Amino acid sequence: METLEYNTQRVQLKLREYGRNVQNLVAHLKTIDDKEERNKKAATLVELMKLINPDLGKDNESDQKVWDDLHIISNFELDIEGPFPKPDASVLDRKPERLQYYSNEIKYRHYGRGVEILIDQAVAMDDPKEKEGAVVAIGRLMKSFFQTWNKESIEDEQILKNIKRLSNDQLDINIETVKELGLFDSDRKHSNRRSNNNNKGRRNNQGGKGRRNNNQGGRGNNRRRN
């Protein structure tokens, strides 16, 4: 009976995503003496490796990665002429660059870091009208964030107080105007309030016109009677 071969007794896989069969084919490539034939079979093996990992894509960068993987599997011992230069063995020891994280803490976690960045950008604005529009947009965003994470509502005064604190008192707006027009509410509520105000104005104007017509009609009747 033939003895069974366990994975623990086999050569360790260099890149598990390609499997042992690809590693065996790479080992076979190293035994081919004819360099031209070795180059052709290496190109065929690279296409097979692409089929095994279809998520790699079809761009030039993905092609280079597969050719680099071929050299890695061969312990950089494969003598071939590919479309890309042979990578240096030091790439395996290269560590990724450390990510830059913000060291300071977020003052209001329910608003998030994005709101603080928007406030910094609003402070840097020169045009007063643009700055005021930015305060309205930020206040509306902050109010929606607060209502997402909290069941209770928040007053406009508190929103403005938070904006002033985050901006070091460099951003401000008339709170009475904010409350009257609902500037910190959602766009839908804001537009409804304006439309209602416009409709009221139109009704009043129409009512005035009607009264004028009635008065004019009355005057006409009086003239006829006279």
Side-chain angles (χ1 to χ4, degrees), residues 20 87 92 113 126 187 193 212:
R20 187 164 299 278
L92 299 178
R113 176 74 60 189
D126 297 327
D187 291 337
R193 290 188 181 185
R212 291 176 184 174

Side-chain angles (χ1 to χ4, degrees), residues 40-134:
K40 291 181 181 180
K41 292 187 180 299
T44 303
L45 182 55
V46 165
E47 295 301 321
L48 177 62
M49 293 166 67
K50 291 179 184 178
L51 293 176
I52 294 175
N53 289 283
D55 295 335
L56 290 174
K58 297 181 180 180
D59 55 357
N60 191 60
E61 184 177 352
S62 299
D63 291 343
Q64 183 174 0
K65 181 186 183 305
V66 178
W67 280 95
D68 290 349
D69 291 343
L70 179 63
H71 287 287
I72 293 173
I73 294 173
S74 68
N75 292 322
F76 303 94
E77 298 173 354
L78 191 59
D79 183 18
I80 56 174
E81 293 181 0
F84 305 99
K86 182 179 179 179
D88 191 82
S90 61
V91 296
L92 299 178
D93 300 327
R94 190 179 304 166
K95 295 182 179 179
E97 296 181 1
R98 187 178 182 84
L99 294 176
Q100 297 292 332
Y101 293 97
Y102 287 99
S103 57
N104 56 331
E105 295 183 357
I106 301 175
K107 294 181 180 179
Y108 300 102
R109 293 186 179 275
H110 48 275
Y111 295 141
R113 176 74 60 189
V115 168
E116 295 184 359
I117 294 174
L118 291 175
I119 287 178
D120 292 339
Q121 294 175 351
V123 170
M125 292 180 177
D126 297 327
D127 190 347
K129 291 184 178 180
E130 290 184 359
K131 184 175 290 188
E132 184 177 340

Side-chain angles (χ1 to χ4, degrees), residues 68-205:
D68 290 349
D69 291 343
L70 179 63
H71 287 287
I72 293 173
I73 294 173
S74 68
N75 292 322
F76 303 94
E77 298 173 354
L78 191 59
D79 183 18
I80 56 174
E81 293 181 0
F84 305 99
K86 182 179 179 179
D88 191 82
S90 61
V91 296
L92 299 178
D93 300 327
R94 190 179 304 166
K95 295 182 179 179
E97 296 181 1
R98 187 178 182 84
L99 294 176
Q100 297 292 332
Y101 293 97
Y102 287 99
S103 57
N104 56 331
E105 295 183 357
I106 301 175
K107 294 181 180 179
Y108 300 102
R109 293 186 179 275
H110 48 275
Y111 295 141
R113 176 74 60 189
V115 168
E116 295 184 359
I117 294 174
L118 291 175
I119 287 178
D120 292 339
Q121 294 175 351
V123 170
M125 292 180 177
D126 297 327
D127 190 347
K129 291 184 178 180
E130 290 184 359
K131 184 175 290 188
E132 184 177 340
V135 172
V136 171
I138 293 171
R140 193 175 301 163
L141 187 65
M142 291 170 66
K143 193 168 187 178
S144 64
F145 283 170
F146 184 90
Q147 292 173 347
T148 300
W149 295 103
N150 299 275
K151 294 182 179 179
E152 65 274 8
S153 60
I154 185 172
E155 298 296 331
D156 293 337
E157 290 88 349
Q158 185 62 41
I159 292 289
L160 183 58
K161 183 179 179 180
N162 295 340
I163 293 176
K164 294 175 67 175
R165 181 177 179 228
L166 291 173
S167 65
N168 295 322
D169 292 328
Q170 297 185 66
L171 295 179
D172 197 3
I173 193 174
N174 190 321
I175 189 61
E176 297 301 328
T177 304
V178 171
K179 295 171 66 175
E180 181 181 356
L181 299 179
L183 298 180
F184 287 168
D185 295 337
S186 63
D187 291 337
R188 182 176 299 176
K189 292 181 181 179
H190 182 47
S191 61
N192 287 341
R193 290 188 181 185
R194 283 191 171 180
S195 62
N196 290 336
N197 292 335
N198 293 335
N199 290 336
K200 289 179 180 179
R202 292 174 182 173
R203 291 172 184 172
N204 293 333
N205 292 334

